[in-house]
């Protein structure tokens, strides 16, 4: 039995921009998700919908009848 030589990867000397931008995309997505969650919690603590036209007491989400 003879040991095989270590495999070499061609073109792997520097930072790959595609990988960097893919990681940046996920960080932006994660930040957006956190900001959306904060906004939803803040709106819920303020008593639901702020502004906009008043809704009927018998109307649920998206104008559907409340069960």
């Amino acid at each position: 039995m003879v040991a095989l030589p270590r495999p070499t990867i061609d073109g792997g000397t520097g930072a790959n921009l595609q990988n960097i931008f893919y990681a940046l995309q996920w960080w932006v997505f994660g930040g957006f998700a956190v900001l959306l969650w904060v906004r939803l919690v803040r709106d819920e603590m303020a008593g639901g919908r702020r502004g906009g036209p008043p809704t009927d007491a018998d109307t649920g989400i998206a104008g559907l009848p409340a069960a």
Side-chain angles (χ1 to χ4, degrees):
M1 293 195 151
V2 177
L4 295 175
R6 287 189 106 176
T8 59
I9 300 173
D10 295 333
T13 59
N16 186 353
L17 285 179
Q18 183 178 7
N19 291 346
I20 292 171
F21 285 121
Y22 186 66
L24 178 65
Q25 174 187 352
W26 277 104
W27 277 103
V28 169
F29 173 74
F32 177 74
V34 168
L35 290 175
L36 181 62
W37 178 78
V38 168
R39 171 77 187 263
L40 290 173
V41 169
R42 189 180 69 195
D43 287 349
E44 190 67 29
M45 288 177 59
R49 243 192 261 187
R50 284 192 272 165
T55 58
D56 247 0
D58 296 336
T59 308
I61 296 174
L64 298 174

